[in-house]
Amino acid sequence: MKKGILFIVSGPSGVGKGTVSKALLEGSNGKMVFSVSATTRSPRPGEVHGREYFFVSDDEFNRMIDEGEFIEYMKVFGRNNYGTPRKYVEEQLNMGHDVLLDIDVNGAMKVKENCPEAVAIMLAPPSMKELRRRLETRGTEEQPVIERRLAEAKTELSRMGEYDYVVVNDDLDSAIEKCRMILETSKSTPQYCSDFVDALIAEDF
Ligand code: ADP
Ligand code: 5GP
């Protein structure tokens, strides 16, 4: 069976990673699954343990680090910890499912180091004013947290060159469609097809 693709979506807070990811997952007919990270931050209204995140205590997070349960983990925004659980991602890829990771820039590059065939997309906002508007309209963070996240945005975007693709999330449907096309195109690279072609070459006529 063909292994799935690791699909990384990064970008500044409020750019639309969650929105785009949800659409990609819903449109995948079960072919793509979301890698639910562990975090020490508190749930936002409407967030469900095990769906958006595994909301864990500092102690539990540290235990997971000690037991080597993360592919990568990171302190983001100097406050909360976030980590990608290894077991689920590996299981799903081996089952042939594509796995979507919504993780920050440092985490994304750590994953790319270990898994160079992963496909990484940087989502960018159409403008900084629009990024602020989205964060403020979402209304899930206090103003100081919003300001801190906006201050991070330029640093994050400046690392665009480390990504495979950049998608501007202006019109939502266009951004979703571009991500879908990138995913499909990534399955036609020699790197991704090498196992199949090697087996093909070994076949008898
Ligand atoms: P992130 O996961 O990157 O922090 P969200 O997906 O939570 O961002 O989106 C932040 C806010 O912006 C949400 O209120 C969402 O509905 C809105 N949003 C996302 N994409 C677009 C878009 N293309 N145009 C307008 N609003 C958007
Ligand atoms: P939020 O608190 O808004 O859900 O996420 C804050 C930031 O943490 C986002 O940039 C998001 O992509 C990142 N993030 C979420 N999960 C992980 C993870 O497991 N690892 C890393 N490195 N970053 C993560």
Side-chain angles (χ1 to χ4, degrees):
M1 195 196 305
K2 198 101 204 70
K3 254 185 104 173
I5 274 197
L6 252 187
F7 200 55
I8 304 168
V9 178
S10 303
S13 185
V15 72
K17 299 180 297 294
T19 309
V20 170
S21 300
K22 195 161 172 271
L24 291 175
L25 292 159
E26 284 172 359
S28 78
N29 290 323
K31 177 85 183 69
M32 180 186 265
V33 296
F34 182 63
S35 163
V36 180
S37 295
T39 183
T40 57
R41 85 152 160 75
S42 315
R44 294 180 186 137
E47 286 186 332
V48 175
H49 181 78
R51 188 178 68 189
E52 280 80 10
Y53 285 105
F54 295 107
F55 297 98
V56 299
S57 63
D58 285 326
D59 285 350
E60 173 65 1
F61 197 91
N62 290 334
R63 184 200 64 73
M64 292 175 83
I65 294 175
D66 292 343
E67 311 262 321
E69 290 184 18
F70 291 128
I71 297 177
E72 61 76 36
Y73 63 91
M74 199 67 59
K75 272 191 185 266
V76 187
F77 307 121
R79 278 206 176 169
N80 298 307
N81 303 323
Y82 296 83
T84 306
R86 179 188 307 281
K87 188 162 169 271
Y88 179 77
V89 171
E90 289 178 352
E91 276 171 5
Q92 293 295 322
L93 288 176
N94 288 332
M95 284 165 68
H97 291 146
D98 299 324
V99 179
L100 193 152
L101 308 181
D102 168 350
I103 60 177
D104 88 311
V105 181
N106 292 318
M109 292 311 133
K110 227 176 248 172
V111 171
K112 287 278 283 181
E113 265 171 38
N114 294 324
C115 181
E117 66 275 20
V119 177
I121 294 186
M122 168 71 84
L123 269 191
S127 69
M128 288 303 186
K129 286 210 163 40
E130 172 63 10
L131 183 64
R132 175 184 286 281
R133 191 198 67 75
R134 287 185 194 171
L135 265 179
E136 291 181 346
T137 312
R138 185 170 72 187
T140 49
E141 277 83 21
E142 303 290 335
Q143 203 59 35
V145 178
I146 291 181
E147 297 305 329
R148 203 166 60 234
R149 290 186 170 204
L150 284 171
E152 280 284 324
K154 293 190 180 182
T155 313
E156 289 168 317
L157 287 166
S158 69
R159 293 186 60 184
M160 173 190 83
E162 297 171 58
Y163 281 73
D164 299 304
Y165 299 94
V166 178
V167 171
V168 179
N169 181 21
D170 190 353
D171 174 66
L172 181 60
D173 289 340
S174 312
I176 293 165
E177 194 45 37
K178 276 186 196 150
C179 291
R180 275 207 191 103
M181 280 166 45
I182 290 167
L183 183 66
E184 280 316 306
T185 309
S186 305
K187 292 184 178 174
S188 298
T189 59
Q191 202 177 21
Y192 183 74
C193 295
S194 63
D195 288 351
F196 171 74
V197 175
D198 287 348
L200 193 65
I201 291 168
E203 278 180 18
D204 293 329
F205 287 103

